Each structure stands twice: as C-alpha cells, then as structure tokens.
Amino acid sequence: MSPAFRRIMRTLSLSQAEIRIFADPTHLSRGVADEVHQQATAALSARGRFTLALSGGSTPKAVYSLLAQDEKAGGGRLDWTKIHVFFGDERCVPADHSDSNYRMASEALLSHVPIPEENVHRVRTELEPGAAAAAYEREIVATFGTGEPRFDLILLGLGTDGHTASLFPQSSALEERKALVCATRVEKLNAHRITFTFPLINAAHSVMFITAGADKAPMLRNILRGDPSGTRYPAQDVRPASGQLRWFTDEAAARDL
Ligand code: 6PG
C-alpha cells in the first residue's frame, strides 16, 4: 500500500467488522470501487460468476460512476457477461422515476458497461408490493439455482436512523426469518419499499457498508460501539454467518468512533 494511500486510509476493527476509514468522500469512493473490482475479479476466477447486490441512496452513486469510468478506461476490464446485478432494496416507484434505485444505478453504471440485459435484475415495481417482492425472490432463487442464495457481494448504506436497505426501525420486516425479500411500508416516508431481509443479507460471502458524512457519525458510533441507552438499530443485525463484513467510511462519518 503506497504511503499516499496509507495517509488516506486507516483501518479499525470493531464488533467483528473491519472498518476502512478514508480521508474524504472522493478517496472513499475510489477505495470502494477498487474493492468491488477486486472482489468481482476473485469471484469470477473462483466461481466463474459474480453476483452483486447494489445499494440505493446517494452515497454509492460516485462509486458506480467510477466503476463505469474504469471499464471505459480499459484498466482491468471485467467480464460483465458473467456478472449478475440485483438491488438490495427498491422504492415502489416506476423504473424511470427520480427516486428509483434502478434508474440511479443504470445512469451511473449499468448503461455504461457491457452487461447483458438479462443480467440486470430489476425489481418489478409495476406490480403491487407483495407481488413484486415474491417475484423478486423467485428471480433470486432461479438465478442461484440449487442451494441457499449466497451473494458474492452485497453493498449497503446506513440511514441516520440506523436503517439499512429498506429495513427500518420498528418494521415487521426486521423479524422476517424465512422470506428472502419482502415488501414493507415505511410510514415516515409514506412509501412502500421492497427489501432484502436479514436471512438473505447474512448469507452473503461479503457485505460492505458505504457510509459518508458527519450526519452519519452519531449513528455509526451507535452501530459499531453500541448505543449507551441500549437501543438497537437494524444495521446492527447485519452479521454475515460466514461471510466478511466491512465498513467503508470517510473521516467525517468516523469522527465519533
Ligand atoms: C435506499 C437505500 C438506503 C440508503 C440509506 C443511505 O434505497 O435509500 O438503500 O438504505 O442506503 O438510506 O442513503 P444515503 O447514501 O443517501 O445517505
């Protein structure tokens, strides 16, 4: 690791997770993109396929853009015909809606790389939420074939309320232990969401949180060091059974650790 990179990245280990802390959002996005590329290369080499679930929200958009730029630049091209992209959660809006995670990822990454259309697994939000969740679960199961669906990599974000994917505090989805995907009503957003459940997330080979900004600092401390009040938050239940858990943050989000 070059001295320059070491200056912009330090590592902590807390609550069985590896935490990589970068100087700023730009270096964070670069660090995440490099790690995704590395894990894709390893999975393609080991299993001939890379199954990836993208996170929604705003933080990962710069990462997706970097992955598209890297592909265009030609450095270490990936075999996108062997990569399957899913979404860890989706807003129940049309695919072309400004709130759609599918639209965000398509504009930043998927429309810029040679991934076959059938390898991009969009949540069919044109269906009513329960049917969309059931259809998505069937598509995940069909993609993985026999055995438990184990994603090579799941990217996740963190909300200031401790939610991740669309697993929000006080949601019944937090208790789901059989379904891999479920529909959930987020009262405070007055919105329906489709989300991976903890059984699917915690089966993954690798889970990476991407968190940036000072507004996330108090919750990141609660998640990684525990809330002194004893309150628990959804993101704390992301504990891969046998996979790796890593947090990629910037100094602003890590300032309270
Ligand atoms: C979504 C997400 C959600 C997101 C967090 C953080 O669909 O909104 O998947 O879990 O990752 O809310 O969002 P930001 O990156 O925008 O802070």
Side-chain angles (χ1 to χ4, degrees), residues 96-118:
D96 60 357
H97 191 282
S98 58
D99 287 349
S100 166
N101 288 335
Y102 165 80
R103 174 177 164 181
M104 180 272 282
S106 296
E107 290 176 347
L109 172 61
L110 301 172
S111 59
H112 302 284
V113 294
I115 186 169
E117 190 176 335
E118 62 272 20

Side-chain angles (χ1 to χ4, degrees), residues 55-60 89 91 101 157-159 163-166 193 216:
S55 171
S58 57
T59 305
D89 70 321
R91 292 83 179 276
N101 288 335
L158 175 69
H163 82 263
T164 190
S166 284
R193 296 275 189 100
K216 302 290 175 72

Side-chain angles (χ1 to χ4, degrees), residues 81-251:
T81 64
K82 295 177 181 171
I83 295 177
H84 284 264
V85 172
F86 288 79
F87 296 83
D89 70 321
E90 185 56 279
R91 292 83 179 276
C92 291
V93 296
D96 60 357
H97 191 282
S98 58
D99 287 349
S100 166
N101 288 335
Y102 165 80
R103 174 177 164 181
M104 180 272 282
S106 296
E107 290 176 347
L109 172 61
L110 301 172
S111 59
H112 302 284
V113 294
I115 186 169
E117 190 176 335
E118 62 272 20
N119 286 22
V120 178
H121 304 271
R122 177 181 68 85
V123 178
R124 291 167 56 200
T125 55
E126 58 275 20
L127 302 174
E128 68 82 27
Y136 208 48
E137 175 155 342
R138 287 195 300 273
E139 188 161 343
I140 290 169
V141 170
T143 300
F144 281 90
T146 56
E148 176 190 36
R150 289 195 69 195
F151 276 86
D152 290 306
L153 176 58
I154 296 178
L155 301 179
L156 293 173
L158 175 69
T160 53
D161 62 357
H163 82 263
T164 190
S166 284
L167 297 164
F168 283 79
Q170 285 86 47
S171 162
S172 58
L174 301 179
E175 311 310 321
E176 180 57 58
R177 290 294 176 271
K178 286 189 178 177
L180 301 178
V181 180
C182 68
T184 180
R185 169 84 179 156
V186 186
E187 291 305 335
K188 71 177 183 178
L189 300 176
N190 188 29
H192 285 283
R193 296 275 189 100
I194 306 298
T195 187
F196 279 16
T197 60
F198 286 123
L200 182 56
I201 293 170
N202 287 330
H205 289 284
S206 175
V207 177
M208 284 170 54
F209 278 94
I210 312 166
T211 302
D215 64 323
K216 302 290 175 72
M219 185 49 70
L220 187 58
R221 177 182 172 73
N222 286 338
I223 300 297
L224 293 177
R225 290 192 180 276
D227 184 331
S229 71
T231 304
R232 284 192 60 77
Y233 303 92
Q236 286 173 290
D237 287 335
V238 173
R239 294 192 300 273
S242 59
Q244 282 184 318
L245 174 60
R246 290 195 180 106
W247 287 80
F248 283 67
T249 75
D250 65 358
E251 287 289 359

